[in-house]
Amino acid sequence: MTNDIQTGSPSIRQIQTLIRDKKEVELKLMTDDLLVGKLFWQDPDCLCLLDQYDQPILIWRQAIVYLKPRM
């Protein structure tokens, strides 16, 4: 069984674009927390979000309710 990221998936491509363009995003978690920052990397299990102090926050994909670019 492989745990590789499916780079052909539209959601994966969109996240890669947000990482590449260093866009600020809003992440809503199942805990009702709202996080804001820039995505730094992704793997099959997690996303890394850099907060306003450039501190990395590791977020498990299964904890995410939604992710959207900030305007």
Side-chain angles (χ1 to χ4, degrees), residues 29-30 44-46 59-65:
L29 302 180
M30 291 178 63
D45 300 314
C46 298
I59 303 158
W60 289 94
R61 289 181 183 273
Q62 64 216 33
I64 299 171
V65 174

Side-chain angles (χ1 to χ4, degrees), residues 28-40:
K28 176 83 166 196
L29 302 180
M30 291 178 63
T31 59
D32 214 28
D33 291 306
L34 186 64
L35 303 176
V36 175
K38 293 179 181 172
L39 293 172
F40 189 52

Side-chain angles (χ1 to χ4, degrees), residues 3-39:
N3 215 13
D4 293 336
I5 289 181
Q6 301 299 316
T7 56
S9 168
S11 63
I12 299 299
R13 287 195 318 264
Q14 175 143 12
I15 291 171
Q16 282 303 115
T17 298
L18 292 168
I19 292 169
R20 182 191 66 226
D21 295 346
K22 296 183 169 102
K23 297 278 187 185
E24 194 169 70
V25 298
E26 196 174 279
L27 257 167
K28 176 83 166 196
L29 302 180
M30 291 178 63
T31 59
D32 214 28
D33 291 306
L34 186 64
L35 303 176
V36 175
K38 293 179 181 172
L39 293 172

